[in-house]
Amino acid sequence: MYEKFVDVLVDELQIDRNEITMEAELTNDLGINSIELADLVMICEEKFEIEFNDEDIRKFTTVGDVVNYLETCAK
């Protein structure tokens, strides 16, 4: 799941693959703003066939947070 999510970050948000780690913070380390986060959520919902809970999205701080959520919820 980690590699699939990294691919989304690289392909959709043009983030340098070398900057992405499980501990990387979405905003502080990767520079993802609120609009990009909203786009990322929509892309992941479609790609992984899940629906994000708005309250859970607010808890996402790191790449690992999102990967763990995807692993828990993905079909």
Side-chain angles (χ1 to χ4, degrees):
M1 188 61 66
Y2 171 76
E3 286 300 324
K4 289 180 181 180
F5 183 63
V6 169
D7 289 344
V8 170
L9 292 172
V10 171
D11 295 342
E12 301 295 334
L13 299 181
Q14 288 74 47
I15 294 175
D16 183 345
R17 185 175 295 275
N18 296 323
E19 293 180 19
I20 304 169
T21 65
M22 286 290 279
E23 297 79 26
E25 292 186 10
L26 299 170
T27 54
N28 293 336
D29 296 331
L30 302 180
I32 297 173
N33 64 38
S34 58
I35 294 170
E36 290 170 325
L37 182 59
D39 288 343
L40 184 60
V41 166
M42 289 189 299
I43 292 163
C44 287
E45 285 180 331
E46 184 176 312
K47 183 173 182 77
F48 300 108
E49 298 179 356
I50 65 169
E51 190 168 318
F52 283 82
N53 179 313
D54 289 342
E55 297 216 2
D56 291 335
I57 294 169
R58 292 185 191 104
K59 298 176 188 173
F60 295 157
T61 303
T62 66
V63 169
D65 294 337
V66 181
V67 170
N68 291 333
Y69 187 85
L70 291 172
E71 288 175 342
T72 302
C73 298
K75 296 178 182 177

